[in-house]
Amino acid sequence: MQWLSEKEYWARGDILDFRYRVCGIWLRHRAEIISLEPNQSFTDLMLKGIYRSFRHTHEFKFSGGRTCVTDTVEFTFGLGKTVDRLIGLPTLRRTFEKRHRLLKGWAAQWTD
């Protein structure tokens, strides 16, 4: 993933531009932060990208000195449930598994 717009802190209404690779192909994604609860959650809604609709909620729960990150994604390519299930779900699962591994490794650096 490569950020095309960077800010140290995000706020409701901010636009996020980034690109990411799927099967070696770079895809662009633009989203707007539509809700933000500092240190708890935020939701972004895709404005431009390969999906007809894509809503991503990020939740953060702190417990016992640890942070649990939960991602909830609602999406459709707009080509029917079969395409979403056979192409979208496996692709998103791989993407978020990688994201969570990277987040865990990044967080481990800060605990030492």
Side-chain angles (χ1 to χ4, degrees):
M1 189 174 121
Q2 202 175 56
W3 285 100
L4 303 173
S5 61
E6 291 188 41
K7 290 181 80 173
E8 188 170 349
Y9 298 101
W10 293 334
R12 189 172 184 264
D14 281 350
I15 303 298
L16 312 175
D17 282 305
F18 57 93
R19 66 185 200 149
Y20 57 97
R21 245 189 332 217
V22 175
C23 299
I25 300 168
W26 284 103
L27 302 172
R28 290 191 65 155
H29 189 98
R30 171 175 276 185
E32 177 181 356
I33 296 179
I34 60 170
S35 70
L36 177 77
E37 295 293 328
N39 299 315
Q40 293 178 25
S41 69
F42 71 95
T43 299
D44 58 87
L45 184 64
M46 183 197 71
L47 301 173
K48 288 184 183 177
I50 64 168
Y51 299 92
R52 175 175 282 167
S53 68
F54 192 95
R55 179 185 179 108
H56 180 191
T57 300
H58 314 248
E59 294 179 274
F60 310 94
K61 296 209 167 90
F62 306 99
S63 177
R66 300 183 72 169
T67 302
C68 178
V69 177
T70 302
D71 290 292
T72 303
V73 176
E74 301 166 59
F75 77 95
T76 184
F77 286 115
L79 301 171
K81 290 182 187 253
T82 301
V83 172
D84 291 344
R85 189 174 55 251
L86 294 177
I87 297 171
L89 279 176
T91 302
L92 287 173
R93 282 191 179 115
R94 282 191 307 272
T95 299
F96 280 91
E97 285 169 1
K98 181 177 180 179
R99 178 179 186 264
H100 290 157
R101 269 194 320 273
L102 291 170
L103 279 173
K104 189 174 182 177
W106 179 77
Q109 294 175 14
W110 296 101
T111 58
D112 292 337

